[in-house]
Amino acid sequence: MSELFVYVNNDLIPAQSAKLSVTDLAIQRGYGIFDFLVVVKGSPVFLEDHLNRFYHSAAAMHLSVALDKTALITAIHDLMNKNQLPNSGIRITLTGGDSPDGYSIGIPNLIITQNPFQYTYASPLKGIRLITHEHQRQLPHIKTIDYAKAIYLQPTIKAAGADDVLYHNAGIITECPRSNFFIVNKKQEIITPDKQVLAGVTRAKLLLNKQFVVKEEPIALEDLANAEEAFITSSTKNVLPVIAIDGKPIGNGAPGPVTQQLLQWMIQEKGILFTNS
């Protein structure tokens, strides 16, 4: 594959030539925001929704975006035309900017990157395992670049034989570091936490599903024992079954029928073409 290009502050440049000042708040303090979207067969999936969240996060973090939405869309398509990656992931990052004192917000740097990405059907068929951990993500309504706790917990997750971590705050479930969480209760209702979570784009689409009753309401740790099914959602994971939490099976310990129906529905919504790996 030929060298990929990136977009940095109005310029398309080779990725290896991209530079960021060491005084940028993204480096000095981990201050910045981003959004990530998937491109399927040359079409960005739910682009408008991702850009709306990107501008919401930027405003909430007091970061100005040099491009309006129309210009940002043009920049994304320019990058796509340059890289020619019909199935890929695009990340839009806005940093805190160069800061003379390492604490004050500067002029943000806008960076757009693109890398190959292909959905696979292996994980949805077998499901994943989670562990729980008490933690409340800072500024949960904003998609920041701060993933310190999630990365810190990676050895713990691996030691437990799990795939990811599910956060809770005082016994109330919130979210996974990079995805939203849902359960299916005995009434076949689909429940997702209603507070202190990121407004996921895939989550928002699922809330509009008319095949099932989908609710936003609190989920307690104790509710997991009675859940018929559980799953997580994100742009890259779609609808991904959770088969065990803290070593205890969810339902019968296999991907459930409601989760599978929702996965098929989301595949159609996104126009996804899976690989067999």
Side-chain angles (χ1 to χ4, degrees), residues 216-246:
E216 295 176 282
E217 60 184 45
I219 300 174
L221 277 172
E222 298 78 41
D223 295 330
L224 299 177
N226 297 316
E228 294 286 306
E229 302 178 35
F231 58 89
I232 59 174
T233 63
S234 75
S235 293
T236 57
K237 298 175 180 65
N238 286 313
V239 178
L240 184 56
V242 174
I243 60 172
I245 300 177
D246 290 333

Side-chain angles (χ1 to χ4, degrees), residues 47-274:
L47 177 60
E48 189 77 13
D49 301 273
H50 283 283
L51 293 185
N52 287 342
R53 186 173 64 181
F54 175 77
Y55 281 100
H56 165 78
S57 293
M61 291 283 275
H62 316 294
L63 297 175
S64 60
V65 185
L67 303 182
D68 62 20
K69 189 182 293 185
T70 300
L72 183 52
I73 290 173
T74 298
I76 290 170
H77 281 284
D78 286 346
L79 182 64
M80 290 171 56
N81 289 334
K82 187 71 174 177
N83 286 329
Q84 290 296 303
L85 293 174
N87 296 297
S88 55
I90 290 180
R91 174 173 167 138
I92 313 165
T93 303
L94 191 67
T95 75
D98 296 337
S99 176
D101 59 4
Y103 211 65
S104 303
I105 295 174
I107 298 175
N109 289 295
L110 178 62
I111 304 163
I112 311 174
T113 57
Q114 183 181 24
N115 288 284
F117 175 81
Q118 178 71 58
Y119 286 108
T120 66
Y121 208 61
S123 292
L125 287 176
K126 66 180 182 180
I128 63 168
R129 302 172 183 274
L130 304 177
I131 60 169
T132 58
H133 184 84
E134 185 162 14
H135 173 67
Q136 178 56 62
R137 195 168 58 82
Q138 286 192 85
L139 307 170
H141 61 293
I142 304 172
K143 196 168 178 67
T144 74
I145 62 174
D146 177 11
Y147 283 74
K149 175 63 77 169
I151 295 171
Y152 169 80
L153 287 172
Q154 287 304 300
T156 303
I157 295 168
K158 293 177 181 178
D163 301 289
D164 209 342
V165 60
L166 176 62
Y167 295 145
H168 69 92
N169 186 12
I172 301 299
I173 298 294
T174 53
E175 59 192 352
C176 294
R178 297 175 295 170
S179 56
N180 294 112
F181 180 76
F182 293 76
I183 63 170
V184 180
N185 64 19
K186 294 188 181 301
K187 298 178 182 178
Q188 297 296 285
E189 298 171 327
I190 299 168
I191 312 296
T192 190
D194 59 340
K195 295 177 181 178
Q196 303 298 311
V197 300
L198 181 70
V201 171
T202 303
R203 174 183 183 271
K205 299 298 179 183
L206 199 146
L207 286 170
L208 300 175
N209 180 279
K210 302 300 182 183
Q211 297 173 283
F212 300 95
V213 175
V214 187
K215 297 180 178 180
E216 295 176 282
E217 60 184 45
I219 300 174
L221 277 172
E222 298 78 41
D223 295 330
L224 299 177
N226 297 316
E228 294 286 306
E229 302 178 35
F231 58 89
I232 59 174
T233 63
S234 75
S235 293
T236 57
K237 298 175 180 65
N238 286 313
V239 178
L240 184 56
V242 174
I243 60 172
I245 300 177
D246 290 333
K248 300 175 182 178
I250 297 295
N252 64 4
V258 173
T259 303
Q260 294 300 314
Q261 287 182 57
L262 289 171
L263 172 60
Q264 295 304 320
W265 175 77
M266 189 58 67
I267 287 171
Q268 294 178 359
E269 289 289 303
K270 292 185 175 182
I272 292 169
L273 179 65
F274 277 106

